[in-house]
Every structure is written in structure tokens, then in C-alpha cells.
Amino acid sequence: YTGKGFYPAALAEPLSCVIGAMHANYHITPGSYVHQMEIVDKGNMAILAGVGPMGLAAINYVLHREDRRPSLLVVTDIDQTRLDRAANLYSPEIAKKKDIDLKYVNTKTENPVKLLLDITNGKGYNDVFVFAPVSSVIEQADAILAFDGCLNFFAGPTDPNFKAPFNFYNVHYNYTHIVGTSGGNNDDMREAIELMSKGLDPAGLVTHIGGLDAVIDATLHLPEIPGGKKLMYTNISMPLTALSEFEKKGKTNPLFAKLDEIIKQNNGLWNIEAEEFLMNNGVKI
């Protein structure tokens, strides 16, 4: 890693998961049995339930890819506040410069499938990524697949018996198919590090900051702690703290007051300046 700061390299593994998912999608040419790996270049892509930390990482990656990109990227959720925040972080204007038509869509409607298909004039989506282990979202993804569309079930369910209906008429006649990945490989890690060295900022993944003394408790209770990635600084003593709690803690702690000020200047995201301030002013271990 040759970029600035420490935290981007520390987030190479979760970013590699998103990268691996994109590489795992596949498509075919009618008459051939060879699977062509990767998303469709200049195709239609949808990321459903896609404005959580990992969804933001996926959007970020799509916008920074140099070898292939969709021409249409639709990101959905049912929480308008989260959609608005995502649009602020990764705006349609930024995407347009990359020749991507980026749309954030609230699917809390009576007919989300029609809403999403209308955006494509009924053609559907070549690549659909599901970022929440919810049966209704999987059914929605299945229903919007184009001919030879690939549904990538990215979200990891906790129930080993988790199931959802899938349209097998379309599997047979429209060549639709499904794939899933868990984690990325070494090549995905290398790609993540290379992209971050060139300026991709993965800070959207991070929701909590802590020190070395917070690691054990955070690890033992990780399933109970909401949000995204918990970023630990091994040379600092600091309780695990959500970025959203910085303002409240800052009323009695000058360190958090300054950190809150810094992240608010960066759309509420962790950043290099905040990291440097913490490492220079935090309680050392």
C-alpha cells in the first residue's frame, strides 16, 4: 500500500469482498457453454438494499473501476435518509463523469419491480446484487433480471435454512442464473490496495473507532453491535465509539469534540486528518 494513512490498507479485506463479487458474476453467449466471467461492460446494474456500509463500498468500487463499468447503476433501499446520504457521498454528478447513469431509488412502493423495470424500458438488469438477506429482496432481484441476467447474492444470512423462491421458467428460457461469494481472494486484495493507493477512499465502510483495549469486548459482542466495520488503532487506548456518538462525547471530552469537528467536514466519514489527530492526541498504549 502506497497511499496516505493507515486505515485504507486496513480495510483492504472488506473492499476485496465487493471486488470479488463483481468478478464472480458471469454471462454466456447463446450457442456456447463458456462462462464469461465479470459484470457486463456498459450494461445495466442494480444494487438492492445497497446503502449500508458494504453497499456504499460497492458503489465506490464501481465508480473507481477503470477496466469496465455499467452504463446504468440503480441503487435501492427503503430508507430515504440513507439513500440521501449515499447520494451525497457518491453523487450522480460524479458518476456521470465516469459515463455512469447513477440513480438512487426508494423501493418502498406498491410495485417496486415495475418501478425498477421502467427505468430500463422493460429490458431488465444484466447484473443484480442483493445486499440484504431478505426473501422479498431476492424475489425482487429475480424479477428484474434481463436475458442472461446474473443475480449475485452478496448478503450473508445467519439462518442455514434461509430460502427464497426463484423463477425457474426464466432460468430455462431466459438463461438467468445466480451466484454468491463470501470474501475475496489475494488478487482481489491486491486490486483493493492498488485502487486505494490511487485514491479510492473506503471510509464509508467504517462506523466505529476504537483502541487496542476495545478489541476483545468488540470481538466477543460483534453480532450485537450495529453498523459497519469497527476500526481499531493498536497504539491507542480508546473505547469502541460510533462516529455518530462523537458529538455527544465531545461535550465532556475535547478529543472527541475535535474528532467530531473533523469528520463533519468530511460528510461524517472517518478520514486521514481524523486519523492523524487521533494518533497524535489519543491516549497511547
Side-chain angles (χ1 to χ4, degrees):
Y1 172 69
T2 59
K4 295 180 179 179
F6 292 93
Y7 76 85
L11 294 166
E13 191 281 328
L15 183 59
S16 78
C17 299
V18 169
I19 294 172
M22 299 280 173
H23 294 331
N25 270 31
Y26 71 92
H27 299 275
I28 62 172
T29 300
S32 168
Y33 302 115
V34 178
H35 289 179
Q36 299 168 344
M37 304 307 297
E38 268 291 358
I39 64 170
V40 172
D41 191 29
K42 299 181 177 60
N44 296 339
M45 178 188 290
I47 300 177
L48 308 188
V51 290
M54 292 303 288
L56 294 178
I59 300 167
N60 197 5
Y61 174 62
V62 170
L63 295 181
H64 281 83
R65 285 197 74 172
E66 298 175 353
D67 56 338
R68 61 177 58 221
R69 303 185 183 105
S71 59
L72 172 67
L73 173 59
V74 175
V75 181
T76 76
D77 204 86
I78 57 174
D79 187 325
Q80 192 59 47
T81 300
R82 292 186 0 143
L83 283 164
D84 292 342
R85 179 172 181 267
N88 184 51
L89 294 174
Y90 309 111
S91 71
E93 290 74 24
I94 292 174
K96 191 173 183 179
K97 295 178 181 178
K98 307 280 189 175
D99 296 321
I100 299 173
D101 182 10
L102 173 58
K103 299 180 184 296
Y104 291 94
V105 178
N106 191 324
T107 50
K108 197 174 184 179
T109 65
E110 290 185 6
N111 195 339
V113 170
K114 183 180 185 305
L115 175 64
L116 294 172
L117 286 176
D118 283 349
I119 295 174
T120 68
N121 294 319
K123 294 180 180 179
Y125 296 82
N126 308 105
D127 298 283
V128 180
F129 293 83
V130 175
F131 273 72
V134 179
S135 295
S136 60
V137 179
I138 295 173
E139 292 183 63
Q140 189 182 111
D142 179 26
I144 65 174
L145 288 172
F147 180 85
D148 185 38
C150 186
L151 189 162
N152 187 306
F153 183 55
F154 182 88
T158 56
D159 180 4
N161 295 311
F162 177 76
K163 300 174 182 178
F166 199 74
N167 188 326
F168 278 87
Y169 179 95
N170 287 339
V171 169
H172 186 83
Y173 290 107
N174 290 331
Y175 290 34
T176 59
H177 45 275
I178 189 167
V179 68
T181 52
S182 179
N185 62 25
N186 286 346
D187 288 336
D188 299 326
M189 288 274 282
R190 291 187 182 97
E191 184 177 349
I193 291 171
E194 181 181 358
L195 284 171
M196 291 187 295
S197 295
K198 292 179 179 178
L200 184 152
D201 187 347
L205 284 162
V206 179
T207 57
H208 293 67
I209 304 294
L212 181 62
D213 48 352
V215 169
I216 293 175
D217 193 56
T219 302
L220 291 174
H221 298 282
L222 195 59
E224 307 154 30
I225 306 172
K229 303 305 175 185
K230 284 69 184 173
L231 183 64
M232 303 299 194
Y233 285 88
T234 56
N235 55 327
I236 296 293
S237 172
M238 179 180 173
L240 185 68
T241 308
L243 299 180
S244 59
E245 296 177 354
F246 280 8
E247 181 177 7
K248 180 180 178 181
K249 290 200 170 188
K251 293 177 180 178
T252 56
N253 188 320
L255 177 72
F256 283 108
K258 182 60 179 179
L259 288 174
D260 181 57
E261 177 187 327
I262 295 172
I263 67 169
K264 281 181 177 175
Q265 295 170 357
N266 192 50
N267 292 314
L269 296 179
W270 192 246
N271 54 78
I272 299 297
E273 184 182 353
E275 176 176 88
E276 290 177 348
F277 182 81
L278 176 62
M279 293 183 70
N280 291 327
N281 298 278
V283 179
K284 303 292 191 300
I285 285 185

